[in-house]
Amino acid sequence: MARPPTPLRSLVVRVADELRARIESGELSAGTRMPSVRQLARDRRISPFSAAEIYNALVAAAVLEARPGSGYFVPSRPPTAVTGTSGADFPADSVWERRREASGRHIQVDAGCGWLPDDWLYADGVRAALRAVARQSPLRLEGYGNPLGLTELRAHVARLLDLRAIAAREDQIVLTQGASQALDLVVRECLAPGELAIVEDPGYPPLFELLRYRGVQMLALPRTAGGPDTEVLAQLLKRHRVRCLFTNTTLHNPTGTTTTLASAHRILELADRHDLTIIEDDIFADLATRTPATLASLDELQRVIYISSFSKTLSPALRAGYLAAARPLVQRLARTKVMTCLGSSELLEQVVLQVLTRGQYRRHLKRLQDRLAGAHARVVPGLESRGVELAFRPLSGLFLWARLPSGDSVGKLWRRALNRDVLLAPGELFRPDARATAHWRFNIAQCDAPALHGFLDSL
Amino acid sequence: MARPPTPLRSLVVRVADELRARIESGELSAGTRMPSVRQLARDRRISPFSAAEIYNALVAAAVLEARPGSGYFVPSRPPTAVTGTSGADFPADSVWERRREASGRHIQVDAGCGWLPDDWLYADGVRAALRAVARQSPLRLEGYGNPLGLTELRAHVARLLDLRAIAAREDQIVLTQGASQALDLVVRECLAPGELAIVEDPGYPPLFELLRYRGVQMLALPRTAGGPDTEVLAQLLKRHRVRCLFTNTTLHNPTGTTTTLASAHRILELADRHDLTIIEDDIFADLATRTPATLASLDELQRVIYISSFSKTLSPALRAGYLAAARPLVQRLARTKVMTCLGSSELLEQVVLQVLTRGQYRRHLKRLQDRLAGAHARVVPGLESRGVELAFRPLSGLFLWARLPSGDSVGKLWRRALNRDVLLAPGELFRPDARATAHWRFNIAQCDAPALHGFLDSL
């Protein structure tokens, strides 16, 4: 009963490409209302599903605008901050594509990746925790557990948050599959298609993908040395009805900067005046040597949803994260969590709890922070002596945001590095509009490497 | 900086309740187009977000219909199969609400729950697997792993599928957080709001919630002793443009029935004629003593997406499931998976792989099947001797679908049982339209219990 692959797919792609070309050429002018899904389906003899899929893809690419209840429109203005003039010769339009192009190659130096090397992580702690859980009696395997996640781990997270001056009870905490699932839950529950959200520029690419997938329009907020640019934030909020702001507070990805107390205070003032929900993604908090001020601690989780995880200190392979928020919102988010995955893995959460409570964890953290500080002290001079220009001077954390000493195009540089088995992360991946930039993200823990130095020396 | 809770929430609830009342009373008649989101926001002085939220909630409750690109409408016909005349005195409109009402009580017998008791699961196997992973050197903790999930576990799943006569290569398999995340990925990727999907009646409640949340309209397909009613399926497909069919093949939840080979063949014929995608949720396959025919094995994963998990044989607390599908679709689903959670837990997947490959697993499965057969032999006569009437006679699996020997209302019976610390699962929870039914779901592994017998004897 095998069937040949359907030729429909190529028809759908053709229709999507044609519409995109007509919009981008200006043939369909700004403000034009597109045919309804059903009309498009009839005109092109495709299914309504395929027609809806085409429009979704064009909305996701910001070529069309969805207005709930009104239809699909050619954007009537160049969107204020998010205009797309992508670096034309660079083929990777997303982290996914970048991974694909590089996959199958032997990469010696993953200079711009988002994680710590294997031997910086806490293998001994995870091993001991696995053994401790194996000894538990009874080993709790029944049912889907608490919708919020393992109660004891939530109680422990509440204590960790208390150390960050964030008062949250265990029933205000939802355990998630990494910070990513927390972001996904928030985007699904707090933003409707067509709504506006402010994101940092540069910022976190998977967040941009999530928002595009949801049909949310993004406004770009530049990142400065002291956090989000609050002047631009004030202007954006004056001009637009914005629902949510997403921001990294501590050791921001990809710039390494940390939001100052004064900026945090100003952001909350503006949020209050404009009834803005803030999603504070603070997954790098434990890499900081001093406890930084968070928006959540100032605001007491009134309009801030606080997200963090153990991916940067234990291991990303655990997929253990959490969010904290006001109680009614937590109920809604937990309900969405149950609907989409029935519950998180309480077995895994037992392992995480064991890692965190087995005494050596604070020592591991201290060692990790020291090691990062040491890497900064070695890597920064090594890069600068080779002409790399840092945009900011973070003292800790994983990332540097920097220019290369070359006038070559981003695509050319990326491929030259790849030919030396060095994988670079071009800055445009981290921009909500994918606009070209001469900056690149470097991972401080991966850059003390001869192959990278060789590449830089060749420029 | 603490603020009083916003009074907006209650305004939103009031507007939603008022609209619902006007629709349900007939004041807003069938076919009426509702004001646009922006219009509603202006009229009621609420934010567009709140207005969108109100419409989303009413669509989710099937009070309104969303037509992409056209707006929100009062449903213009009583939807063929899914009409809502919910058992008015029963307060639980979802599994979530049921859990909430019963939470905090000591439940002796969870007579209708969906999982196996703790001591039926494979604690020894999980313990040994945790220890085996703890011994691994190196313990792979770096990065987010393969977007599809741990390669070695996918290769093992491919071998398991081969035993079920389903030919799938490891690059056709995506590992997920239980079957639930697999369903969520498929609903998000394969169905657009306003599209139609066929679901089984009775069927799986979290699936109904997922589809409502996505704005997908459901058509109910009755379940018979031999699987979905193919006559009704033919009629539904003749009358409607349906995108997807969701079905349980083996030991269906909640009826315990298994789709016959002839039904499977007929379903695929119809799917072919009407270009239908089939999502085959086969999470009970390993509880069957004989390998049943699956839609996926007949169709060779052309138009069938096959979903299963280890929740029913290892433990639901692992959250380990998977899907198998045609390769282009797998790429799309994996991309959505990465976007929404970056990746599944490869540490957990190492544990699952160890459980499955450590020799004793086949013996555990056999013991579990025998124990279920034994429970059937004891529980069925125990229930029938107390007047319980079975709708079907499954020989294995977890579930029975049955009537109680009482004319009392569902709500009254449910509370009477709860007063004896017995938690029952009313049949209407398992119906896509929540329509009243005299049937209840019983879990064969939980029902050999004096408290349940006492309740039944009291009727």
Side-chain angles (χ1 to χ4, degrees):
Chain A
M1 292 184 52
R3 290 173 204 86
T6 163
L8 268 177
R9 173 61 30 196
S10 57
L11 175 58
V12 167
V13 170
R14 272 210 309 280
V15 173
D17 287 349
E18 180 209 312
L19 291 178
R20 180 195 276 262
R22 288 174 63 197
I23 292 162
E24 291 180 344
S25 71
E27 183 193 331
L28 293 171
S29 62
T32 302
R33 181 182 179 146
M34 303 297 289
S36 74
V37 166
R38 272 160 222 286
Q39 190 59 47
L40 180 69
R42 273 194 299 270
D43 294 353
R44 304 307 182 105
R45 301 185 181 212
I46 55 182
S47 74
F49 175 77
S50 299
E53 201 180 18
I54 288 170
Y55 280 163
N56 284 343
L58 293 176
V59 169
V63 173
L64 280 182
E65 193 177 288
R67 301 189 195 151
S70 312
Y72 295 91
F73 293 81
V74 179
S76 54
R77 44 176 166 76
T80 23
V82 183
T83 324
T85 52
S86 175
D89 76 329
F90 184 67
D93 69 348
S94 74
V95 176
W96 173 269
E97 295 298 333
R98 185 176 70 88
R99 276 198 196 177
R100 287 230 296 203
E101 185 171 340
S103 75
R105 296 198 60 121
H106 173 69
I107 300 297
Q108 266 193 58
V109 184
D110 201 348
C113 76
W115 52 84
L116 288 162
D118 218 349
D119 63 334
W120 292 48
L121 296 167
Y122 194 28
D124 288 349
V126 174
R127 279 184 218 283
L130 289 166
R131 284 194 206 100
V133 173
R135 281 193 301 271
Q136 278 173 16
S137 183
L139 184 61
R140 286 179 288 167
L141 293 178
E142 187 179 349
Y144 294 92
N146 189 303
L148 303 180
L150 186 71
T151 304
E152 296 85 343
L153 181 54
R154 283 184 292 115
H156 187 79
V157 167
R159 287 192 289 277
L160 293 180
L161 291 183
D162 193 51
L163 296 176
R164 294 183 199 167
I166 299 167
R169 286 179 32 160
E170 66 196 45
D171 63 356
Q172 289 181 268
I173 293 164
V174 183
L175 304 181
T176 55
Q177 199 174 11
S180 308
Q181 193 197 15
L183 286 173
D184 185 40
L185 293 174
V186 169
V187 168
R188 286 168 92 158
E189 196 52 40
C190 299
L191 282 159
E195 296 270 329
L196 289 176
I198 293 176
V199 295
E200 292 181 302
D201 180 14
Y204 183 58
L207 171 65
F208 307 152
E209 290 192 50
L210 269 180
L211 291 169
R212 277 191 212 106
Y213 195 76
R214 178 76 177 147
V216 170
Q217 309 259 321
M218 286 180 271
L219 300 172
L221 176 61
R223 184 83 188 184
T224 72
D229 186 325
T230 52
E231 284 309 301
V232 175
L233 178 60
Q235 288 163 27
L236 288 174
L237 292 174
K238 211 174 280 173
R239 286 207 302 270
H240 303 278
R241 178 79 186 88
V242 179
R243 179 66 188 163
C244 293
L245 161 68
F246 292 82
T247 181
N248 249 186
T249 305
T250 312
L251 300 170
H252 169 259
N253 179 3
T255 65
T257 57
T258 294
T259 304
T260 63
L261 186 57
S263 291
H265 180 69
R266 176 76 178 129
I267 291 167
L268 287 170
E269 262 180 5
L270 288 167
D272 227 20
R273 190 175 316 150
H274 296 276
D275 193 18
L276 191 68
T277 296
I278 296 175
I279 296 89
E280 179 173 34
D281 176 355
D282 203 27
I283 58 165
F284 301 101
D286 276 336
L287 300 184
T289 40
R290 283 184 306 174
T291 305
T294 58
L295 294 159
S297 60
L298 293 178
D299 164 80
E300 298 182 312
L301 294 176
Q302 297 294 307
R303 58 173 67 256
V304 172
I305 302 171
Y306 185 83
I307 293 177
S308 194
S309 94
F310 301 105
S311 295
K312 306 301 170 187
T313 50
L314 300 186
S315 159
L318 289 168
R319 311 304 308 117
Y322 57 88
L323 64 84
R327 221 161 275 119
L329 186 57
V330 159
Q331 285 295 318
R332 282 167 55 204
L333 292 166
R335 188 173 176 153
T336 305
K337 174 185 163 187
V338 168
M339 187 178 67
T340 56
C341 67
L342 278 189
S344 35
S345 170
E346 291 213 345
L347 185 77
L348 193 72
E349 288 164 3
Q350 302 269 11
V351 174
V352 174
L353 179 67
Q354 288 297 327
V355 180
L356 298 177
T357 54
R358 288 180 68 77
Q360 309 296 308
Y361 178 64
R362 301 301 311 173
R363 197 182 301 174
H364 160 70
L365 262 193
K366 177 75 175 65
R367 203 168 46 218
L368 182 55
Q369 290 163 355
D370 290 348
R371 202 162 170 184
L372 274 169
H376 272 268
R378 269 193 319 281
V379 167
V380 169
L383 295 180
E384 289 193 320
S385 71
R386 290 173 173 89
V388 173
E389 226 178 283
L390 302 194
F392 305 101
R393 299 209 146 268
L395 294 175
S396 180
L398 261 184
F399 300 119
L400 299 174
W401 185 243
R403 293 165 177 269
L404 294 180
S406 165
D408 276 354
S409 76
V410 169
K412 202 164 166 192
L413 287 168
W414 186 78
R415 285 200 196 81
R416 275 176 68 177
L418 196 61
N419 283 335
R420 289 171 174 265
D421 299 328
V422 172
L423 188 57
L424 291 181
E428 60 202 65
L429 292 179
F430 303 92
R431 307 199 67 180
D433 55 4
R435 207 189 315 209
T437 168
H439 289 95
W440 304 73
R441 180 177 82 173
F442 289 92
N443 179 326
I444 203 89
Q446 311 270 4
C447 286
D448 196 8
L452 175 64
H453 293 162
F455 162 69
L456 292 172
D457 289 335
S458 79
L459 296 179
Chain B
M1 294 192 45
R3 290 171 206 86
T6 164
L8 267 177
R9 175 58 33 196
S10 57
L11 174 58
V12 168
V13 171
R14 274 209 309 282
V15 172
D17 287 349
E18 181 209 309
L19 290 179
R20 180 194 276 264
R22 289 173 63 195
I23 293 162
E24 290 180 346
S25 71
E27 183 193 330
L28 292 171
S29 61
T32 302
R33 181 186 179 143
M34 303 297 290
S36 74
V37 166
R38 272 161 221 285
Q39 189 61 47
L40 180 68
R42 272 194 298 270
D43 294 351
R44 303 308 181 104
R45 299 183 185 217
I46 55 182
S47 74
F49 176 76
S50 299
E53 201 180 18
I54 288 170
Y55 280 162
N56 283 344
L58 293 176
V59 168
V63 173
L64 279 182
E65 195 176 287
R67 300 189 196 150
S70 312
Y72 296 92
F73 293 81
V74 179
S76 55
R77 45 177 166 77
T80 22
V82 183
T83 325
T85 52
S86 175
D89 76 330
F90 184 69
D93 67 348
S94 73
V95 175
W96 172 268
E97 296 298 334
R98 183 176 72 87
R99 276 199 197 178
R100 287 231 295 203
E101 185 171 338
S103 74
R105 296 195 60 119
H106 174 69
I107 300 296
Q108 265 191 59
V109 184
D110 201 349
C113 77
W115 50 84
L116 287 162
D118 218 351
D119 64 334
W120 291 48
L121 297 167
Y122 194 29
D124 287 349
V126 174
R127 278 183 218 284
L130 288 166
R131 282 193 208 101
V133 174
R135 280 194 300 271
Q136 278 173 16
S137 183
L139 185 60
R140 284 179 288 167
L141 293 178
E142 187 179 348
Y144 295 91
N146 190 303
L148 304 179
L150 186 71
T151 304
E152 295 86 343
L153 181 53
R154 284 185 290 117
H156 188 78
V157 167
R159 286 191 290 275
L160 293 180
L161 291 183
D162 193 52
L163 296 176
R164 295 183 199 164
I166 299 167
R169 287 179 32 160
E170 65 195 44
D171 63 357
Q172 288 182 269
I173 293 165
V174 183
L175 304 181
T176 55
Q177 199 174 12
S180 307
Q181 193 197 13
L183 286 173
D184 185 40
L185 292 175
V186 169
V187 168
R188 286 168 93 159
E189 198 50 41
C190 298
L191 282 159
E195 296 268 330
L196 290 176
I198 294 178
V199 294
E200 291 182 301
D201 181 15
Y204 183 56
L207 171 65
F208 307 153
E209 291 192 49
L210 268 181
L211 290 168
R212 277 191 212 105
Y213 194 77
R214 178 74 177 149
V216 170
Q217 310 258 321
M218 287 179 273
L219 300 172
L221 176 61
R223 184 84 188 185
T224 71
D229 186 326
T230 52
E231 285 308 304
V232 175
L233 178 61
Q235 288 163 27
L236 287 173
L237 292 174
K238 211 176 278 173
R239 285 209 301 270
H240 302 276
R241 177 78 187 87
V242 179
R243 179 67 188 161
C244 293
L245 160 67
F246 292 83
T247 181
N248 250 185
T249 305
T250 313
L251 301 169
H252 169 258
N253 179 3
T255 65
T257 57
T258 293
T259 303
T260 63
L261 186 57
S263 291
H265 180 67
R266 175 79 176 125
I267 290 167
L268 286 171
E269 260 181 6
L270 288 166
D272 226 19
R273 190 175 317 150
H274 296 275
D275 193 16
L276 190 67
T277 296
I278 296 176
I279 297 90
E280 178 172 36
D281 176 356
D282 203 26
I283 59 165
F284 301 102
D286 276 337
L287 301 185
T289 41
R290 282 186 307 174
T291 304
T294 59
L295 294 160
S297 61
L298 293 178
D299 165 79
E300 298 183 311
L301 295 177
Q302 296 293 308
R303 56 173 69 255
V304 172
I305 302 171
Y306 185 81
I307 293 176
S308 193
S309 93
F310 301 105
S311 295
K312 306 300 171 189
T313 50
L314 300 185
S315 158
L318 288 169
R319 313 304 308 115
Y322 58 88
L323 64 82
R327 220 160 278 121
L329 187 55
V330 158
Q331 284 294 319
R332 281 166 55 204
L333 293 166
R335 189 173 175 153
T336 306
K337 174 184 163 189
V338 169
M339 188 179 65
T340 57
C341 67
L342 278 188
S344 36
S345 170
E346 291 214 345
L347 186 76
L348 193 72
E349 287 164 3
Q350 300 269 12
V351 174
V352 173
L353 179 67
Q354 288 298 326
V355 181
L356 298 176
T357 53
R358 287 180 71 73
Q360 308 298 308
Y361 177 65
R362 299 306 306 174
R363 195 183 304 173
H364 159 71
L365 261 192
K366 178 73 175 64
R367 203 168 49 217
L368 182 55
Q369 291 163 355
D370 290 348
R371 201 163 170 184
L372 274 168
H376 271 268
R378 273 192 317 282
V379 166
V380 169
L383 294 179
E384 289 192 320
S385 70
R386 291 172 172 90
V388 173
E389 227 177 280
L390 302 194
F392 306 102
R393 300 207 145 270
L395 294 176
S396 181
L398 261 184
F399 301 119
L400 300 174
W401 185 243
R403 293 164 176 269
L404 294 180
S406 164
D408 277 353
S409 77
V410 169
K412 205 164 165 190
L413 287 167
W414 186 77
R415 284 200 196 79
R416 276 176 67 177
L418 196 60
N419 284 335
R420 290 171 172 265
D421 300 328
V422 172
L423 188 57
L424 291 181
E428 62 201 64
L429 292 180
F430 302 92
R431 306 198 68 181
D433 55 2
R435 206 184 321 205
T437 169
H439 288 94
W440 303 73
R441 181 179 80 174
F442 289 92
N443 178 328
I444 204 89
Q446 310 272 2
C447 286
D448 195 6
L452 175 64
H453 293 161
F455 161 70
L456 292 173
D457 289 336
S458 79
L459 296 181

